[in-house]
């Protein structure tokens, strides 16, 4: 709506209305509004499924999380109440780190450039390079998940799901240029995710309700679970790839003693 940018870069009134009127079903299809960009790829719901999977693989985390969730006395918490729960926050962060729903993306270089490197590398001709030359039109691959789990940044246990790490994260991760949480899960820069705050509250509300109501176990051996990506990472079973995405869970109502 800014008047100092070209007309072609502004959102029309129709675009603005479409984004706001779609908010009712963003819950399940957060990217439905992006018809030109990621049609129908449900990022928040995938992240929530991966969260439940992670909780089945870490029963102590599931127990500790449930205990914290029951410190709130209502089944319908306010946004402030949801945001006040530190362990829930850590579980969501860790899920989005280890199971980033969008594991990678690409950009196209609009001009030639030279990117200086932190550490030199030896190229295939055996020559040491301290920068990367990029030519206009090149595709740049952004490995979101790989950066979220880099041992050099996060430490030796970087592939493990450990919400406790968020109590004291290593200094090295402050160099990650993500829009949120020292992670690239919502990307960074001017075209990062505009829905991330919404998505975080939504995920917290879902996990709050699901984990208070039920206990979760994986219904298949963990090695059976694999990921397939078409923009968004979804769970599949190795022995039933043809059946589409699924995450079989044993779900038991939780009874507080
Ligand atoms: C866990 C949930 C989500 C994740 C992991 C996620 C991740 C991302 C990522 C990585 C991008 C950048 C993609 C690229 O440019 O290649 C993006 C863009 C975007 N996301 Fe999300 N997203 C999530 C939820 C949402 C929700 C709930 C909304 C809407 C309310 C939303 C709206 C958008 C929009 C509009 C863009 C494009 C921004 C632009 O190009 O300027 N996202 N998202």
């Amino acid at each position: 709506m800014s008047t100092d940018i070209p007309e072609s870069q502004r959102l029309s009134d129709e675009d603005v209305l479409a984004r706001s009127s779609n908010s009712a079903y963003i819950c399940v299809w957060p990217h439905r509004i992006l018809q030109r960009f990621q049609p129908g790829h449900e990022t928040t719901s995938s992240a929530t499924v991966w969260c439940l999977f992670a909780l089945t693989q870490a029963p102590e985390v599931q127990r500790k999380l449930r205990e914290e969730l029951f410190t709130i006395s209502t089944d319908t918490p306010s946004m402030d109440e949801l945001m006040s729960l530190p362990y829930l926050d850590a579980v969501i962060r860790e899920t989005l780190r280890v199971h980033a729903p969008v594991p990678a993306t690409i950009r196209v270089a609009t001009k030639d450039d030279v990117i200086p490197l932190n550490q030199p590398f030896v190229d295939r001709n055996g020559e040491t390079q301290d920068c990367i030359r990029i030519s206009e039109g090149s595709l740049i691959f952004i490995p979101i998940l790989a950066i979220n789990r880099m041992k050099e940044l996060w430490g030796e246990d970087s592939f493990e799901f450990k919400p406790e790490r968020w109590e004291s994260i290593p200094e090295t991760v402050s160099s990650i240029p993500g829009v949120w949480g020292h992670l690239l899960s919502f990307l960074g820069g001017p075209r990062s995710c505009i829905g991330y705050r919404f998505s975080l509250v939504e995920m917290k509300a879902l996990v709050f309700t699901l984990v208070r109501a039920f206990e979760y176990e994986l219904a298949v051996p963990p090695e059976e679970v694999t990921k397939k990506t078409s923009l968004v990472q979804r769970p599949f079973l190795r022995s039933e790839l043809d059946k589409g995405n699924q995450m079989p869970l044993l779900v038991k109502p939780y009874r507080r003693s």
Side-chain angles (χ1 to χ4, degrees):
M1 297 170 86
S2 200
T3 49
D4 58 352
I5 54 172
E7 182 73 40
S8 61
Q9 291 178 17
R10 295 185 212 161
L11 287 179
S12 67
D13 287 353
E14 287 75 24
D15 275 341
V16 174
L17 280 172
R19 286 182 182 219
S20 48
S21 63
N22 266 308
S23 57
Y25 70 95
I26 281 169
C27 296
V28 184
W29 302 101
H31 282 109
R32 244 314 135 77
I33 56 171
L34 302 173
Q35 298 293 358
R36 284 159 301 180
F37 156 75
Q38 287 192 338
H41 290 284
E42 61 279 31
T43 44
T44 312
S45 52
S46 297
T48 307
V49 170
W50 285 116
C51 182
L52 294 181
F53 168 77
L55 293 178
T56 65
Q57 299 307 291
E60 178 51 24
V61 173
Q62 186 177 154
R63 192 202 57 75
K64 191 171 158 186
L65 174 64
R66 189 172 292 110
E67 199 175 291
E68 182 189 73
L69 301 183
F70 276 108
T71 60
I72 302 283
S73 55
T74 169
D75 285 339
T76 51
S78 65
M79 195 166 103
D80 286 346
E81 282 171 318
L82 281 175
M83 291 310 193
S84 73
L85 298 169
Y87 201 60
L88 175 61
D89 191 67
V91 167
I92 300 297
R93 281 172 194 267
E94 192 64 348
T95 302
L96 289 168
R97 187 184 73 82
V98 182
H99 300 286
V102 182
T105 186
I106 48 171
R107 291 290 184 266
V108 181
T110 54
K111 56 174 188 172
D112 295 350
D113 207 347
V114 177
I115 313 287
L117 296 176
N118 220 359
Q119 285 174 16
F121 74 98
V122 178
D123 68 16
R124 60 184 159 187
N125 302 321
E127 287 171 23
T128 303
Q129 305 288 349
D130 59 3
C131 63
I132 295 180
R133 282 171 211 291
I134 294 183
S135 29
E136 184 183 334
S138 301
L139 291 183
I140 315 288
F141 179 77
I142 306 176
I144 295 176
L145 186 62
I147 295 173
N148 279 1
R149 303 193 300 193
M150 254 178 95
K151 285 196 174 149
E152 290 81 352
L153 297 174
W154 293 93
E156 278 306 304
D157 61 356
S158 63
F159 279 66
E160 290 169 39
F161 178 82
K162 280 190 183 169
E164 281 71 15
R165 80 172 71 244
W166 290 93
E167 287 164 15
S168 152
I169 48 172
E171 184 55 37
T172 38
V173 304
S174 59
S175 61
I176 300 175
V179 66
W180 173 81
H182 303 293
L183 297 173
L184 276 192
S185 308
F186 295 107
L187 218 60
R191 303 304 296 267
S192 57
C193 179
I194 60 164
Y196 80 92
R197 286 196 183 85
F198 179 86
S199 172
L200 292 171
V201 180
E202 192 182 26
M203 257 185 96
K204 286 186 179 183
L206 284 168
V207 171
F208 179 91
T209 302
L210 292 171
V211 172
R212 272 167 63 115
F214 302 108
E215 291 178 282
Y216 299 90
E217 274 177 59
L218 196 58
V220 292
E223 318 78 71
E224 257 289 281
V225 178
T226 185
K227 289 175 174 176
K228 276 177 84 177
T229 304
S230 61
L231 290 173
V232 174
Q233 294 201 92
R234 296 196 182 79
F236 282 73
L237 295 190
R238 287 182 200 280
S239 59
E240 297 182 350
L241 289 176
D242 53 320
K243 289 201 175 155
N245 56 302
Q246 55 171 321
M247 174 73 79
L249 298 174
L250 292 173
V251 178
K252 199 165 71 177
Y254 176 68
R255 311 231 180 278
R256 284 192 87 192
S257 50

